[in-house]
């Protein structure tokens, strides 16, 4: 099949696709300062057809990060502000009675897009949160018994505040497991914060990313070519066993009531392959698995209450497991 060319002028060549996706970092950096790990995680999720949960305190540019990604990619994007009174139909769409034809017609909700920004997803009740489950897993929406496919590519980038903040609802475990990655957005370093204020003092407007110089540098053709290349990335039996051993160790950890499921193990293998390809290799090494273990697994485990009271975190448990599981040579 001949390489396709999208409106940004990018062809479906794997080498060109890698360069275009790497250029996303520089493009997003025009709007967001010092969040390279989160940008990398979003690119990995796109390559794996996965979804991303971004967690951080208010005001650390979670929403701006996703908006900048959408501007740097030639993809359709929509935003939903999750509130306590949001209904499932406000997300998925609903049947509307047309008085002219005396029939019901389906009116698409904002989920019918390429990149859905679910802002502050844990401020809405579980019923509305769960309305995204079918869309995230099956990439379709069923209303009145009729399944309706979502566009391709489709990615949910959800932001949430830490659960101890007022007015938040913890996400159900079943929904957490549907997110490929959970990325934590930290407070910026002193120098990064100085850079942020300097930009604002110079006239930067986070609501006008075009004025900030953010332009599309990758498109659907790049994603298609990149995904095909990732699918050809070699995984040795030793690496597969290493992934399985890490995930099985979480099920035996005395600090956890819930370990990583086989779906989580599959996710870790997929993200490791995507990271290996992004770094220029066509095979996976143990360091790829280690690099993606925290964002891929941290939301798939559940701490025991006593461990949580002692200050143990999901990240510390996973790091301890990585330190003890034998690394293949």
């Amino acid at each position: 099949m001949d390489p396709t060319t999208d409106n940004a002028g990018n062809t479906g060549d794997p080498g060109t696709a890698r360069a275009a996706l790497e250029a996303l970092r520089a493009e997003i950096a025009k709007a967001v300062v010092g969040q390279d790990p989160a940008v990398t995680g979003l690119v990995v999720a796109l390559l794996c057809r996965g979804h991303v949960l971004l967690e951080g305190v208010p005001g650390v540019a979670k929403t701006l990060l996703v908006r900048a990604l959408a501007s740097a990619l030639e993809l359709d994007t929509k935003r939903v502000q999750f509130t306590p009174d949001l209904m499932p139909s406000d997300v998925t769409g609903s049947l509307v009675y047309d008085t002219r034809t005396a029939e019901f017609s389906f009116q698409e909700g904002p989920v019918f897009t390429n990149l859905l920004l679910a802002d502050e997803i844990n401020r809405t009740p579980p019923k509305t949160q769960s309305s995204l489950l079918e869309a995230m897993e099956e990439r379709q929406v069923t209303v009145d018994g009729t399944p309706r496919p979502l566009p391709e590519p489709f990615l949910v980038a959800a932001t949430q505040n830490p659960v101890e903040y007022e007015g938040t609802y913890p996400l159900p475990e079943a929904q957490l497991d549907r997110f490929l990655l959970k990325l934590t957005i930290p407070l910026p370093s002193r120098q990064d914060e100085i850079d942020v204020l300097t930009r604002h003092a110079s006239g930067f407007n986070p609501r006008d990313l075009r004025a900030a110089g953010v332009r599309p540098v990758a498109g659907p053709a790049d994603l298609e070519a990149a995904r095909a290349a990732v699918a050809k990335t070699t995984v040795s039996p030793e690496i597969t066993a290493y992934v399985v051993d890490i995930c099985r160790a979480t099920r035996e950890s005395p600090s956890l009531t819930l370990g990583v499921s086989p779906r989580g193990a599959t996710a870790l293998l997929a993200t490791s392959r995507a990271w290996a390809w992004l770094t220029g290799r066509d095979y996976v090494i143990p360091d790829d698995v280690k690099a993606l273990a925290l964002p891929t697994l941290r939301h798939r485990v559940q701490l025991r209450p006593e461990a949580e009271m002692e200050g143990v975190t999901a990240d510390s448990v996973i790091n301890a497991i990585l330190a003890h599981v034998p690394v293949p040579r």
Side-chain angles (χ1 to χ4, degrees), residues 244-301:
V244 169
D245 289 343
I246 290 171
C247 295
R248 291 182 68 86
T250 65
R251 302 168 202 163
E252 299 167 0
S253 171
S255 299
L256 302 176
T257 58
L258 178 68
V260 177
S261 68
R263 180 192 281 127
T266 303
L268 180 55
L269 188 63
T271 56
S272 301
R273 293 177 84 183
W275 176 242
W277 181 81
L278 275 174
T279 53
R281 279 179 283 101
D282 60 357
Y283 57 92
V284 180
I285 62 175
D287 283 349
D288 299 325
V289 179
K290 291 180 178 180
L292 272 298
L294 285 179
T296 308
L297 304 181
R298 60 163 60 107
H299 56 297
R300 304 175 192 273
V301 300

Side-chain angles (χ1 to χ4, degrees), residues 26 45 73 75 78 80-81 83 91 103 114 139-141 144 151-152 155 170 182 196 218 232 238 241 249 284 304 312:
L73 284 168
L75 298 176
K78 293 177 183 174
V80 178
Q81 180 66 50
T83 58
V91 179
E103 294 180 351
N114 296 126
R139 299 178 185 273
Q140 67 178 24
V141 168
D144 196 33
E152 178 61 35
L155 179 143
K182 178 182 177 181
V196 170
K232 297 176 183 176
E238 292 79 12
V284 180
R304 292 188 181 277
V312 176

Side-chain angles (χ1 to χ4, degrees), residues 216-234:
V217 294
D222 294 311
L223 283 177
E224 184 179 349
R227 287 170 172 176
V230 169
K232 297 176 183 176
T233 303
T234 303

Side-chain angles (χ1 to χ4, degrees), residues 166-186:
E166 186 176 351
T168 60
Y169 299 82
L171 294 178
E173 287 81 1
Q175 186 173 1
L176 281 173
D177 204 34
R178 285 341 189 257
F179 285 101
L180 180 72
L181 299 172
K182 178 182 177 181
L183 306 174
T184 55
I185 310 298

